[in-house]
Amino acid sequence: MEKENALQILSGGGKDLLLGQAMDLLDGVLDYKELMMGYACAIKEINTKFEVLDTEFEVRYKRNPISSIQTRLKSQTSILEKMARMGIPPTRENIEEHLNDIAGIRVICAYIDDIYLLADALTRQDDIKLIRRKDYISNPKPNGYRSLHLIISVPIFFAESVKEVKAEVQIRTIAMDFWASLEHQIKYKQNVEHAEKVIARLKECADEIAHVDETMQEIRMEMDNIKEDTTGPEAIYEKLKKIDISLM
């Protein structure tokens, strides 16, 4: 009934203007949905690539470099706000050209060296194009923020076309992610008293966390360098356990 009423209104006399506006609106909505579909598919592609790398390490080295993977598709409101701040009309062409972080993937690792290992393994793949790399681990932000940021593009194969889609990848340790999450919450609180002291203390915490990350990596490397017996019953048992690793 609702559909019939809507069709009667749109097809009634003197409603050509309304019909044209409705068609324009629908075209715009469908165009936006198609745009976001590409970014959603890029997230799936990149997420799968990281899962494959994590599985490879589990089988070959019996450890997982990835603790967790978080994904995010930028909302329409956030897109419009960012385009407004940039002073650029929010057309599809402008969005695709000027926004690199609509598709977001955050990879959380246990150790610092795993960050660079995963970043290099990803960007060496033939279908990945590295657009920009910002290393906030070697060069932290003034507030203490640490993470490795990659802007990449990946081809998405649709039924009748192939489209290159950009995405932002952030790779950080568990400790870096913990600090960034708390800093984000504190930063958006209004009317914070003694803001300068709070900022200074956050910077101190970031430095302490960085020291912990470095220490934990040193301990792991020391453990890795310990030579184990590869011929005894325990060694054989450990190799058999590798075979039992679930690949699904």
Side-chain angles (χ1 to χ4, degrees):
M1 181 64 70
E2 292 180 359
K3 178 180 178 182
E4 292 176 357
N5 290 338
L7 290 173
Q8 288 177 1
I9 292 173
L10 291 174
S11 61
K15 300 297 183 180
D16 290 344
L17 178 60
L18 179 59
L19 181 60
Q21 291 174 340
M23 291 300 294
D24 289 342
L25 177 61
L26 288 173
D27 287 343
V29 170
L30 292 173
D31 191 51
Y32 174 76
K33 292 287 286 184
E34 183 179 314
L35 173 68
M36 299 309 288
M37 176 186 69
Y39 289 109
C41 291
I43 288 174
K44 292 179 180 180
E45 288 279 352
I46 298 166
N47 186 80
T48 299
K49 288 177 178 294
F50 278 117
E51 289 179 345
V52 169
L53 290 171
D54 196 51
T55 300
E56 178 191 4
F57 263 71
E58 185 177 16
V59 172
R60 291 184 183 276
Y61 309 111
K62 217 180 73 174
R63 77 178 189 88
N64 297 93
I66 297 176
S67 174
S68 64
I69 301 175
Q70 304 163 9
T71 61
R72 183 265 302 142
L73 192 63
K74 208 173 190 68
S75 69
Q76 185 175 6
T77 301
S78 296
I79 291 172
L80 293 175
E81 288 176 349
K82 190 163 186 178
M83 296 299 286
R85 290 196 300 270
M86 297 170 70
I88 300 173
T91 64
R92 176 169 182 161
E93 292 74 17
N94 284 340
I95 290 172
E96 290 181 314
E97 180 179 354
H98 296 285
L99 295 189
N100 298 324
D101 61 346
I102 294 178
I105 300 93
R106 182 175 298 154
V107 181
I108 312 301
C109 300
Y111 302 101
I112 297 173
D113 58 350
D114 286 336
I115 294 174
Y116 296 104
L117 182 151
L118 289 169
D120 292 342
L122 177 70
T123 54
R124 280 198 305 266
Q125 296 185 18
D126 293 341
D127 57 344
I128 292 289
K129 181 189 296 181
L130 177 62
I131 298 172
R132 187 167 69 241
R133 174 181 174 127
K134 288 188 176 181
D135 190 344
Y136 295 115
I137 301 172
S138 298
N139 300 287
K141 290 185 177 182
N143 65 349
Y145 174 84
R146 288 171 167 83
S147 184
L148 181 65
H149 289 199
L150 307 173
I151 302 297
I152 63 174
S153 71
V154 60
I156 306 300
F157 292 83
F158 296 110
E160 299 178 356
S161 64
V162 180
K163 184 176 180 60
E164 289 282 338
V165 181
K166 292 187 289 186
E168 181 185 54
V169 177
Q170 298 178 1
I171 314 178
R172 59 179 68 154
T173 65
I174 299 169
M176 293 173 192
D177 189 59
F178 170 75
W179 181 91
S181 298
L182 294 183
E183 191 270 346
H184 181 78
Q185 295 176 25
I186 294 170
K187 184 171 64 175
Y188 284 97
K189 286 186 177 293
Q190 301 296 319
N191 303 317
V192 177
E193 293 185 9
H194 312 297
E196 293 182 358
K197 290 184 178 180
V198 172
I199 292 171
R201 292 181 67 186
L202 282 170
K203 177 62 168 61
E204 290 175 3
C205 288
D207 293 340
E208 291 174 6
I209 285 174
H211 177 68
V212 170
D213 265 338
E214 292 169 359
T215 302
M216 292 301 293
Q217 179 167 297
E218 289 171 1
I219 293 172
R220 195 212 76 206
M221 293 176 69
E222 289 174 5
M223 297 300 293
D224 288 347
N225 288 331
I226 296 176
K227 293 184 178 180
E228 298 180 353
D229 179 15
T230 60
T231 59
E234 290 186 6
I236 294 173
Y237 176 70
E238 288 300 320
K239 289 183 178 181
L240 287 172
K241 282 173 63 177
K242 285 187 179 183
I243 300 174
D244 291 334
I245 292 175
S246 174
L247 300 178
M248 298 297 293

